[in-house]
Amino acid sequence: MTISLRNRPVGAAATAAVLALAALVSPAAAAPASASAPARAAALSAAPAPAASAASAASGEAAEPSAAAEGLRLPRPTGRYATGRDTLFLTDHARPDPWVPSAGPRRLLVSLNYPARPGTGGGPAPYIPREEARLMLAQRGLDDPAWPGLVAATRTSSRTAADPAPGRFPLVLLSPGFGTPRATLTGLAEELASRGYVVATADHPYESTGTQLPDGRVLTCAACDTVDAQPDATARRKVLAAVSAGRAADFSFLLDRLTGPAPAWRHARAIDPRRVGMAGHSIGGNAASSTMAADRRVDAGVTMDGTFFDPVAARGLGGRPFLMLGTDPGHGPGADTSWDEGWDRLDGWKRWLTVRDSGHFTFTDTPEIGEQLGIEDPDAPLSAARSTAITRTYVTAFFDRSLRGRPARLLNGPTPGNPEVLFQRP
């Protein structure tokens, strides 16, 4: 693999670490790359919070960047709705944190993107806290001191504290890759919200390079340390299976708090609890199948290039639909045997799609951000525009079909407008 930065030399660390901001868990690999230096603390770090208003600190949001700091931008969503965003900080007092029990009960930070009334709300929702951006980039060997600020200042299309659009909407849960902040699924979340979905994207503490709490403290990746400490590939896979199963418990708790009798979100009436889907990137995609196996409330699932470390249940998923969307050839038949096994076990409507010229992070915001930073990966030459269009179009079509009963001809077979998308085992 050869990585280059346009008009700029690349050091050995960056070349080794970057796969369009480099994957932590290779799609077919048994173990992720090390998530940090060995001395990384497992518990709360004392990293200072970036400057933030009282309101943003209370919500766990980064401060809105100044106009001078603006440099990067996510593509605008294509649906008919304006979009809003709220943030929840939730505590599950029934469970200790699985990676750092001494830290107390399990906590989740959740971004909620939703269809909004045009013209309501505050400014554009911030993308990611600067310290989270710095830790994510540093893990990938990208140490340009200007880049954390640029990534943190990425402009989104959602407005903070916007009023929801009238009506009730299906709910989609999103889970990021191992070691990766939830912010990297913002573009997909905004697209779905603009198409009439409420979208809840969760950070799973101690499973990301950095998760900033509302009080400004930053949790680093204790789960990555646990994986790194395993003696062999089999043991590492077992820990990663536990990551996926643990996220299923996170999302069942989140569903309780969004759709139960005392919802945590002020606009919970906008959610139709009878229509729930879930998608995830990398191990977050494995978490989609794990959650469906554990919780019948989730009606449909998508994995985006995620190995099934926690195998699809041998009994299937109760006839519920599932989409496998991955790299080609990395997730074609025979390349990742967990997909072959998972395909055979899926017992509802299903599709197995692979995308030519893609990379592990094609299905996230990484191509858009990487391209604007001048990062190129010749091993994954699919452009940012095509990466975004394919991910948005196929994931939305799947949920429109599965949660709304709408025709999705795009999922019936290859189309001339999407020559990169291959249909496997029809």
Side-chain angles (χ1 to χ4, degrees):
M1 177 179 68
T2 304
I3 304 296
S4 63
L5 301 178
R6 296 189 193 100
N7 305 316
R8 182 176 166 185
V10 184
T15 300
V18 181
L19 174 54
L21 298 188
L24 280 171
V25 183
S26 176
S34 175
S36 69
R40 180 183 57 220
L44 295 177
S45 83
S53 68
S56 65
S59 68
E61 300 276 20
E64 184 179 332
S66 67
E70 181 177 350
L72 311 181
R73 181 179 290 276
L74 297 180
R76 294 192 63 83
T78 64
R80 68 185 183 93
Y81 289 100
T83 60
R85 196 179 81 193
D86 283 343
T87 302
L88 298 178
F89 181 52
L90 302 175
T91 301
D92 184 357
H93 294 283
R95 289 188 299 149
D97 188 273
W99 307 111
V100 185
S102 61
R106 183 66 160 169
R107 291 166 290 184
L108 297 179
L109 270 165
V110 181
S111 294
L112 285 152
N113 291 85
Y114 54 94
R117 293 182 182 270
T120 65
Y127 183 64
I128 189 173
R130 182 187 177 100
E131 182 64 8
E132 287 190 18
R134 185 190 70 78
L135 290 167
M136 178 179 69
L137 292 166
Q139 190 281 330
R140 291 150 174 81
L142 302 174
D143 55 2
D144 187 311
W147 282 5
L150 286 171
V151 173
T154 298
R155 306 298 283 191
T156 70
S157 295
S158 298
R159 295 279 170 173
T160 58
D163 296 332
R168 305 192 83 187
F169 304 96
L171 172 66
V172 174
L173 310 171
L174 292 182
S175 185
F178 188 61
T180 306
R182 73 187 190 280
T184 57
L185 295 177
T186 298
L188 178 58
E190 290 189 330
E191 176 68 12
L192 288 166
S194 80
R195 298 296 191 96
Y197 293 88
V198 174
V199 184
T201 310
D203 255 335
H204 308 272
Y206 300 112
E207 297 174 22
S208 171
T209 48
T211 301
Q212 183 175 306
L213 301 181
D215 64 6
R217 292 178 295 168
V218 177
L219 310 182
T220 55
C221 195
C224 301
D225 291 334
T226 301
V227 172
D228 290 346
Q230 301 309 303
D232 53 39
T234 299
R236 288 189 289 272
R237 292 182 70 92
K238 185 175 181 180
V239 174
L240 291 168
V243 172
S244 185
R247 291 190 179 192
D250 288 344
F251 280 107
S252 287
F253 165 70
L254 178 56
L255 277 173
D256 290 343
R257 297 310 319 273
L258 291 178
T259 65
W265 185 39
R266 57 184 175 151
H267 300 311
R269 288 183 59 83
I271 295 172
D272 181 351
R274 298 165 300 175
R275 296 182 291 170
V276 178
M278 181 170 171
H281 171 246
S282 194
I283 208 163
N286 189 180
S289 62
S290 296
T291 303
M292 290 178 71
D295 197 322
R296 288 288 309 183
R297 291 176 293 180
V298 182
D299 302 302
V302 181
T303 180
M304 298 181 289
D305 216 50
T307 291
F308 294 108
F309 294 105
D310 182 24
V312 175
R315 66 182 183 279
L317 296 177
R320 288 168 288 173
F322 201 89
L323 171 66
M324 305 194 317
L325 176 65
T327 53
D328 188 84
H331 270 118
D336 178 347
T337 57
S338 78
W339 275 40
D340 296 85
E341 179 184 86
W343 176 259
D344 290 340
R345 291 180 171 185
L346 292 171
D347 57 343
W349 186 97
K350 58 187 177 181
R351 289 292 185 270
W352 181 347
L353 309 182
T354 58
V355 183
R356 289 193 186 104
D357 296 331
S358 61
H360 185 50
F361 271 65
T362 285
F363 311 100
T364 72
D365 298 338
T366 297
E368 296 287 354
I369 290 174
E371 193 169 277
Q372 292 174 70
L373 291 176
I375 298 173
E376 296 179 331
D377 176 15
D379 292 334
L382 191 67
S383 70
R386 288 301 295 153
S387 298
T388 297
I390 289 169
T391 303
R392 287 178 167 186
T393 301
Y394 281 88
V395 172
T396 301
F398 172 78
F399 284 127
D400 281 350
R401 182 199 178 279
S402 302
L403 301 181
R404 288 191 157 124
R406 295 177 178 174
R409 297 182 182 89
L410 189 71
L411 298 172
N412 291 340
T415 57
N418 297 285
E420 308 93 338
V421 180
L422 307 177
F423 281 66
Q424 307 291 348
R425 295 190 178 176

